[in-house]
Amino acid sequence: MPSLFDPVQVGSITAKNRIFLAPMTRARATKEGVPTSLMLKYYEQRSTAGVIVTEGVGISRVGLGWPYAPGIYTKEQIEGWKPITKGVHDKGGKIVLQLWHMGRAAHSAVTGSAPVSCSPTSYPTQIHTYEGKKDAEVAHELTKEEIKETVQDFATAAKNAIEAGFDGVQIHGANGYLIDQFLRDGSNLRTDEYGGSPDNRLRFMKEVVEAVIEAVGADKTSIRLSPNGESQGVIDSDPAKVFIPAAKWLGEKGIASLAIREGATTQGFTSPDAGQPRLNKEIREAFKGTLILNSAYDRERAISDVENGVCDAVSFGRYYIYHPDLPEMIKQNKPFETNIDLMKVFYSQGAEGYTDFPTST
Ligand SMILES: Cc1cc2nc3c(=O)[nH]c(=O)nc-3n(C[C@H](O)[C@H](O)[C@H](O)COP(=O)(O)O)c2cc1C
């Protein structure tokens, strides 16, 4: 029976424990998407995680629509990440970069060009830009050639991440962003081989995974999916038909890990009941590899799920924001703080609410 504090293999990474940092956008990079010394401090503080998964990191200009979020497609961005990977490694941590393309959730006011997606749909609400909230635009429907170019952008970004010193990459296939827009029938209205049947809707994800594997190796390639519930206007009428075959296929590819976020998503918050059944048990059976689960974990459920083999590791998001050494808190059985209003500091640039939380000791 493994414990949360046993090591676990994540492809080429031997993680020292099974408590991972969930990917969280925190908007502390420059306007050009270059990581900052504040980000170095934040990630160093969390190097006790088994694996740190970075915030979503833009793979291309058109894919990076979040103000002050970092990228991995320019020389300056690659150089900017190097002190961070080194800092985490020097503290004995492991760090994986999350490859992010926002698709229709981006805005031209930030990216300089129209948002893209599998189909000409729009983000359901207004979009946060440098000039405040703006009405969402109708996405440009990617042509087949543009799909190939986007797949290539993922592969190049993965190579860039390894050049920057990351231990691996996690493809962001969750939460209503570009890959998820292709996966689910609420947002994928295509009638060619990228739309329609679950097999067709899986095609883009598969092409991205194969290209990233070719670029950096399966043992450095992970993916995150969010099968149930609505995410930023993206939903599927029958998630099991898409996500169980996805899990089986990903297992056969021998990727480093599959991360699943289950629960409904409302503006960064999750509730345990997504309104659609959880699929983690079926995914566990279908996927032969390291499985990481997320959403609304507390100490007890994390211990129990790992000990009972429900998953191999769990990732914490919000608790990890204000407990920079969360594994130590769990080890010492210290109660988590639940009374901090994080909403106003999630994306607020400066150090406040980012690097100013005390450690447990
Ligand atoms: C401020 C904030 C930013 C987030 N950014 C990302 C992101 O960039 N990529 C991603 O996959 N999930 C993102 N998420 C979702 C988290 O990874 C996680 O799934 C969510 O917080 C639920 O886990 P928790 O209950 O432990 O907080 C974000 C969540 C929050 C609160």
Side-chain angles (χ1 to χ4, degrees):
M1 196 166 72
S3 102
L4 269 183
F5 293 96
D6 285 332
V8 62
Q9 209 60 34
V10 183
S12 60
I13 299 171
T14 305
K16 61 191 166 200
N17 63 50
R18 294 162 185 244
I19 302 160
F20 293 3
L21 175 63
M24 278 181 293
T25 295
R26 302 301 312 278
R28 263 77 176 180
T30 69
K31 248 184 164 174
E32 289 71 41
V34 178
T36 56
S37 52
L38 196 58
M39 289 165 63
L40 165 63
K41 191 167 178 194
Y42 171 81
Y43 284 117
E44 273 181 342
Q45 286 175 338
R46 287 157 185 79
S47 51
T48 52
V51 174
I52 290 173
V53 184
T54 67
E55 60 209 282
V57 181
I59 62 156
S60 60
R61 181 136 193 249
V62 66
L64 182 56
W66 198 283
Y68 299 108
I72 189 77
Y73 54 90
T74 70
K75 190 79 202 139
E76 293 69 31
Q77 292 164 356
I78 299 169
E79 290 306 312
W81 281 111
K82 286 183 181 173
I84 297 180
T85 55
K86 181 173 184 316
V88 169
H89 290 153
D90 286 350
K91 293 204 172 307
K94 300 286 181 191
I95 182 163
V96 159
L97 177 139
Q98 191 183 49
L99 296 168
W100 193 27
H101 191 308
M102 294 173 64
R104 73 178 194 181
H107 198 285
S108 62
V110 179
T111 63
S113 60
V116 301
S117 187
C118 43
S119 304
T121 63
S122 0
Y123 191 75
T125 61
Q126 286 197 311
I127 293 181
H128 174 53
T129 76
Y130 288 109
E131 296 99 44
K133 297 248 177 201
K134 288 196 189 275
D135 287 342
E137 301 157 304
V138 178
H140 161 70
E141 177 178 308
L142 288 166
T143 63
K144 285 190 207 171
E145 195 170 324
E146 289 164 341
I147 290 178
K148 301 282 175 228
E149 286 165 11
T150 309
V151 168
Q152 197 43 53
D153 287 343
F154 271 97
T156 304
K159 270 196 195 145
N160 292 347
I162 300 304
E163 186 192 330
F166 284 94
D167 299 295
V169 294
Q170 181 188 77
I171 298 163
H172 194 345
N175 298 354
Y177 295 110
L178 184 64
I179 293 177
D180 205 23
Q181 290 160 27
F182 269 88
L183 287 172
R184 304 208 245 177
D185 60 10
S187 46
N188 184 338
L189 315 175
R190 293 180 82 98
T191 52
D192 63 6
E193 67 266 35
Y194 289 95
S197 66
D199 246 13
N200 280 357
R201 281 181 277 127
L202 278 164
R203 193 176 308 278
F204 178 62
M205 181 207 79
K206 288 182 178 177
E207 288 181 0
V208 170
V209 171
E210 280 174 337
V212 171
I213 287 177
E214 200 181 316
V216 302
D219 62 353
K220 290 191 165 42
T221 302
S222 293
I223 189 166
R224 186 177 215 214
L225 301 172
S226 53
N228 67 345
E230 188 220 313
S231 273
Q232 312 203 77
V234 172
I235 188 153
D236 194 76
S237 58
D238 193 353
K241 287 219 167 70
V242 183
F243 290 94
I244 310 293
K248 185 165 183 293
W249 183 86
L250 290 163
E252 286 162 5
K253 285 282 150 188
I255 60 167
S257 72
L258 170 59
I260 299 289
R261 179 195 187 177
E262 287 195 294
T265 310
T266 353
Q267 308 198 339
F269 285 102
T270 53
S271 72
D273 175 12
Q276 284 181 325
R278 287 176 178 243
L279 293 176
N280 65 290
K281 287 198 183 73
E282 291 87 341
I283 286 174
R284 181 65 157 169
E285 273 166 34
F287 177 74
K288 306 288 175 233
T290 302
L291 182 70
I292 301 150
L293 291 186
N294 168 260
S295 212
Y297 268 97
D298 56 19
R299 182 178 186 276
E300 285 65 38
R301 200 156 68 85
I303 291 171
S304 147
D305 275 7
V306 166
E307 287 188 355
N308 293 315
V310 174
C311 56
D312 300 296
V314 297
S315 73
F316 285 89
R318 288 161 291 173
Y319 282 132
Y320 229 132
I321 292 180
Y322 46 74
H323 294 307
D325 61 344
L326 192 72
E328 200 51 40
M329 299 277 300
I330 294 176
K331 200 180 251 173
Q332 294 177 21
N333 200 7
K334 289 196 173 164
F336 295 171
E337 185 61 66
T338 52
N339 210 13
I340 298 174
D341 178 15
L342 287 172
M343 202 59 185
K344 63 178 190 303
V345 295
F346 275 161
Y347 314 115
S348 57
Q349 283 87 70
E352 191 200 343
Y354 188 56
T355 49
D356 58 352
F357 292 108
T359 54
S360 61
T361 46

